[in-house]
Amino acid sequence: MRSEKKIFFLILFLAIAVLILQLVYRHYRIEKVSPNDQAFLHTLNSFSEFQQFAGAPLDDAYPGITSVKAVYDLRRKEIYFINSHLYRLHYDFCSKVLGYQLGLRLFNIANYGNQRDYYLANINYLEKDKRFVLEFGSSDEIDSLQIIEMYEQVSKNTFFKNELRLLLNNTNTIHYFEKQPAIPTCDLSALNGGLSYQAIQEGVCVGRLVICEDLKARYLFVRPGDILIVRGTPAEIPLCKAIISDCFQTPLSHIQVLSHNKNMPSAYLKNVFTNENIKKYDGKIVSIAVNSDTVLITMSAENVTMLRPEKQVLLPLHSTIKSIVPISQCGTLTNADIGTKAKGLSDLKIISEENEGLFRVPEGAFVIPFYFYKQHLQQAKIEPLLLALKQCELDQTARIDSLLSRIRAAIKNTALSAELLREVNEQISSNNNGTSYRFRSSSNAEDLLNFSGAGLYDSKTGQVGHKKKTVEKAIKKVWAGMYNYRAYQERSVANINENTAAMSVLVHRSFPDEDLNGVIITKNIYRSDYPGIVVNAQKGDVSTVSPPDSVQCEQFILTENSLMNPFSKKVSAKYLCYSSLHPTGPLLTYDQLLLLQRSVKSITTYYAEKKLAWDLEFKFEKNKLYIKQVRPYR
């Protein structure tokens, strides 16, 4: 109780100090404004003036946008349109031109809170539909009357006048104006509708161009050195050197994550399948350059190569644990004992308990360790097939696929250990969490810093007493997934020693009635110098990373307002797009946003010494937050 009182009085003291400093500053601050007319304009009289002062927006969430910053000085009653080439931040301008002298910290506390000297906003020009929109920072707790005043100041001092629209893209502006707009507004479709190009991962490479109208039908035709043209966001993408899709990719889609992890050039090009300048290169060796505003494809005389690391990678592997292990008893075990996915869930359980159940992990979780996988492979007698695999070159795709298919069949057709099956059924019964369980891959060849393995392996549902979806089939299918075509090819290219790669199984109760699911990256991938976490979310159990055709998930950047103003207890979301399955507005409530932010903070604090960003998977079920996976985000 004493410590809480001390904190209260400290905050009170700081608040009074800030107020006093503000009053002193307002009384004594420098009146002179820089006479340099290139630093700012009081009016924007033409599009050429806007272009002269415009720069790139502070984040690169969407292409085709230029931006001019605006500051309204409440004491002088003057508006300033800032030269973006001279001043990157509002604070830079206010301190160097308007004479603000109290430093960045107090500037943020005052001008994103309720002791303002200035209103701060961005005027964004959307090239695709020639529209101007007014945007406020997501952490700005500016109120509705202040927003209206700023809108009026901007509109009356610019050539576009009342054509200006307030962009409803964050928690604050949506709260005030979504239902009863007092000024002209526009929603997120202004940003993401009609885009024809998106650079997903910039870069250059050489390869054979392969146009895949139907990727499934041509899967084995693709070679590791190919550049793929694909439709949508395929659930499985073969080993390749670059990807161009005809579908806009959300930041945590399968193509985005794959391109990011492998530093592989990729882009969205709207009409790529009807582009004659691209179609003429089908089947030919080309050089591709993905840039921020365009993709260039030219003929190349270079050889197509796929280089393995010179040194073979040996993965840590322990196969001495001979019984299943409840997740609550995995705290001292390592990736080499139970696989990376199970180790991650064990960490999440510890974090949850240390934070009084702030979030949950899936109930009834336990691990089938590597010992049983190794034992089953011996029973399946696949050694000759594995030896034949080692003798294959990477481009012998049909032979590799045939051998892998025979290996998977042998694993599935070999009887499961009766002792293991008994143990698993007894564990499920004692858990008292129903009879439907999720059996998830937890290999030692995934979720690693130098080998993501995201999406390579299978998860299956098994139900006690079910005639078809049996527990035995689920376990064997997960084990067989170790020899999926793409998984084996990716490990081969990474030069991982197959003798050291193995599959354990993470098991927990299934989620038949989830309200929504999502993925989180625990850093702002759109602006490296600014706080925030990026969230993709979707209704029910519809995938966020590999959605059905024409289905778009919700995505937003979530921030703690206290990072700008330590006296604020709020969180804010800057929305990039809404779910196409819920287009009327945000999926998550404010309380869910707050719970998500607090939970992510507890996880990043636990892992703070590793100095990494993290990729998390979450679900909401009956308004309860579950976090079911954590892995490094490179």
Side-chain angles (χ1 to χ4, degrees):
M1 188 64 71
R2 286 184 180 177
S3 62
E4 290 179 357
K5 285 185 177 179
K6 286 181 179 179
I7 292 171
F8 171 78
F9 285 116
L10 177 61
I11 292 175
L12 182 62
F13 172 77
L14 288 172
I16 294 171
V18 169
L19 180 59
I20 292 172
L21 285 170
Q22 284 288 313
L23 293 173
V24 171
Y25 164 68
R26 286 171 178 167
H27 184 73
Y28 290 107
R29 72 177 180 176
I30 298 172
E31 287 297 321
K32 187 178 180 181
V33 174
S34 169
N36 182 0
D37 60 1
Q38 293 302 303
F40 64 87
L41 292 172
H42 287 304
T43 59
L44 289 174
N45 296 312
S46 66
F47 185 57
S48 62
E49 285 187 346
F50 181 91
Q51 288 180 306
Q52 180 185 349
F53 273 38
L58 287 179
D59 63 48
D60 58 355
Y62 290 102
I65 297 177
T66 53
S67 182
V68 169
K69 292 174 182 59
V71 172
Y72 182 64
D73 188 316
L74 291 167
R75 187 169 180 272
R76 293 186 175 96
K77 302 298 181 183
E78 290 276 9
I79 192 161
Y80 301 87
F81 302 105
I82 304 169
N83 189 333
S84 299
H85 306 291
L86 299 178
Y87 307 101
R88 183 170 181 271
L89 304 174
H90 290 97
Y91 169 74
D92 296 339
F93 176 81
C94 292
S95 62
K96 295 175 182 177
V97 178
L98 300 184
Y100 188 88
Q101 297 174 323
L102 299 181
L104 177 61
R105 189 64 170 160
L106 289 179
F107 178 87
N108 287 340
I109 292 172
N111 294 291
Y112 292 97
N114 55 13
Q115 297 292 330
R116 295 172 185 269
D117 295 294
Y118 313 107
Y119 299 152
L120 312 171
N122 296 319
I123 306 166
N124 297 325
Y125 176 67
L126 313 181
E127 173 63 33
K128 66 181 178 62
D129 57 3
K130 317 301 182 189
R131 179 183 292 186
F132 292 90
V133 299
L134 185 68
E135 178 184 18
F136 291 89
S138 61
S139 297
D140 192 341
E141 295 180 11
I142 187 169
D143 67 33
S144 59
L145 295 178
Q146 293 168 331
I147 290 173
I148 292 170
E149 184 177 6
M150 182 60 165
Y151 172 89
E152 291 172 346
Q153 289 295 326
V154 172
S155 61
K156 78 178 183 182
N157 287 290
T158 54
F159 66 93
F160 39 82
K161 302 296 182 184
N162 59 2
E163 293 180 8
L164 180 68
R165 297 288 184 269
L166 171 67
L167 181 61
L168 302 183
N169 71 331
N170 64 61
T171 311
N172 200 50
T173 53
I174 291 170
H175 170 73
Y176 284 127
F177 295 104
E178 184 179 38
K179 293 182 179 178
Q180 293 182 326
I183 52 179
T185 64
C186 63
D187 61 20
L188 297 177
S189 62
L191 295 179
N192 57 20
L195 290 176
S196 60
Y197 178 76
Q198 171 197 25
I200 297 169
Q201 180 75 27
E202 295 183 41
V204 178
C205 73
V206 173
R208 181 184 63 150
L209 189 73
V210 178
I211 298 177
C212 296
E213 290 271 0
D214 183 351
L215 181 57
K216 286 185 177 180
R218 302 195 72 188
Y219 201 88
L220 294 180
F221 178 75
V222 176
R223 303 291 187 267
D226 289 347
I227 295 166
L228 300 187
I229 310 292
V230 301
R231 291 198 179 278
T233 307
E236 292 189 18
I237 299 171
L239 195 61
C240 60
K241 294 189 74 174
I243 301 175
I244 301 176
S245 171
D246 69 343
C247 177
F248 181 84
Q249 299 295 315
T250 55
L252 301 182
S253 73
H254 185 35
I255 288 178
Q256 282 268 21
V257 172
L258 183 66
S259 303
H260 176 82
N261 285 329
K262 298 179 66 176
N263 196 28
M264 179 174 67
S266 59
Y268 149 62
L269 188 59
K270 185 175 182 180
N271 297 315
V272 64
F273 284 96
T274 58
N275 188 317
E276 295 299 329
N277 288 327
I278 293 177
K279 289 172 67 177
K280 67 183 181 182
Y281 292 118
D282 188 19
K284 297 177 181 177
I285 305 301
V286 300
S287 172
I288 182 173
V290 175
N291 301 313
S292 61
D293 57 353
T294 188
V295 58
L296 299 174
I297 299 176
T298 56
M299 287 291 293
S300 176
E302 293 184 38
N303 293 323
V304 179
T305 57
M306 287 294 291
L307 298 177
R308 289 186 175 100
E310 291 184 9
K311 187 176 180 180
Q312 194 173 56
V313 178
L314 302 176
L315 300 175
L317 174 62
H318 304 153
S319 54
T320 56
I321 301 174
K322 299 182 179 181
S323 62
I324 65 173
V325 188
I327 203 71
S328 59
Q329 297 176 20
C330 291
T332 59
L333 300 180
T334 68
N335 296 354
D337 298 309
I338 56 175
T340 49
K341 199 172 291 180
K343 177 57 179 172
L345 192 71
S346 172
D347 288 347
L348 289 172
K349 183 169 180 60
I350 292 170
I351 298 167
S352 173
E353 291 171 349
E354 288 179 350
N355 289 272
E356 300 178 341
L358 183 62
F359 62 90
R360 300 183 178 203
V361 298
E363 292 87 356
F366 60 94
V367 183
I368 303 171
F370 295 121
Y371 167 80
F372 296 101
Y373 169 80
K374 287 290 192 179
Q375 182 190 55
H376 190 82
L377 262 56
Q378 287 179 353
Q379 294 293 323
K381 298 179 181 179
I382 61 173
E383 291 85 355
L385 297 173
L386 293 174
L387 182 61
L389 264 180
K390 290 180 182 179
Q391 297 170 349
C392 292
E393 298 295 329
L394 281 174
D395 60 356
Q396 292 180 281
T397 54
R399 176 159 173 74
I400 290 171
D401 182 62
S402 175
L403 289 168
L404 290 171
S405 179
R406 291 167 63 188
I407 289 171
R408 294 194 300 272
I411 293 172
K412 293 175 186 177
N413 293 332
T414 299
L416 192 70
S417 161
E419 178 63 22
L420 173 60
L421 188 57
R422 181 188 62 78
E423 275 195 61
V424 171
N425 284 328
E426 286 180 355
Q427 182 67 52
I428 291 174
S429 177
S430 66
N431 286 339
N432 197 28
N433 282 296
T435 58
S436 180
Y437 269 66
R438 196 68 173 158
F439 292 76
R440 301 171 61 196
S441 65
S442 182
S443 77
N444 60 344
E446 61 182 312
D447 300 350
L448 307 174
L449 281 175
N450 56 354
F451 186 78
S452 167
L456 291 183
Y457 307 112
D458 298 329
S459 295
K460 299 294 177 181
T461 297
Q463 297 181 26
V464 176
H466 198 283
K467 291 183 179 180
K468 292 184 178 180
K469 294 183 179 180
T470 67
V471 168
E472 179 175 5
K473 284 183 180 179
I475 295 171
K476 290 193 290 186
K477 284 180 178 180
V478 173
W479 282 342
M482 192 69 178
Y483 291 99
N484 285 335
Y485 175 82
R486 190 164 69 89
Y488 177 79
Q489 288 283 70
E490 292 280 2
R491 293 197 304 272
S492 183
V493 168
N495 205 10
I496 290 174
N497 185 314
E498 280 297 312
N499 292 330
T500 67
M503 180 69 74
S504 76
V505 185
L506 171 62
V507 189
H508 56 69
R509 65 98 168 173
S510 61
F511 286 81
D513 300 311
E514 60 198 83
D515 304 320
L516 58 91
N517 77 99
V519 181
I520 301 166
I521 300 299
T522 64
K523 72 173 184 178
N524 190 337
I525 61 177
Y526 293 115
R527 184 177 169 186
S528 59
D529 64 339
Y530 201 76
I533 62 175
V534 177
V535 182
N536 277 16
Q538 187 56 280
K539 283 186 68 174
D541 63 353
V542 179
S543 174
T544 58
V545 297
S546 185
D549 289 345
S550 303
V551 173
Q552 175 179 271
C553 69
E554 175 175 290
Q555 56 175 306
F556 55 89
I557 303 169
L558 184 62
T559 55
E560 295 178 89
N561 290 6
S562 60
L563 296 171
M564 298 292 285
N565 178 2
F567 305 116
S568 177
K569 302 291 186 183
K570 296 182 180 180
V571 296
S572 298
K574 177 181 178 178
Y575 292 91
L576 306 181
C577 63
Y578 293 143
S579 164
S580 58
L581 304 179
H582 190 263
T584 56
L587 279 171
L588 280 76
T589 66
Y590 180 81
D591 287 342
Q592 287 175 326
L593 294 177
L594 186 61
L595 179 57
L596 207 61
Q597 178 66 54
R598 290 173 60 202
S599 299
V600 169
K601 190 171 184 178
S602 71
I603 293 168
T604 55
T605 300
Y606 180 85
Y607 288 120
E609 290 185 1
K610 296 191 176 183
K611 298 180 179 179
L612 296 170
W614 299 90
D615 176 344
L616 311 175
E617 292 185 20
F618 72 94
K619 298 178 183 292
F620 273 98
E621 183 188 63
K622 298 177 181 177
N623 214 32
K624 295 181 178 67
L625 172 61
Y626 288 83
I627 299 182
K628 70 186 194 86
Q629 184 161 328
V630 55
R631 59 186 168 207
Y633 181 81
R634 196 162 51 86

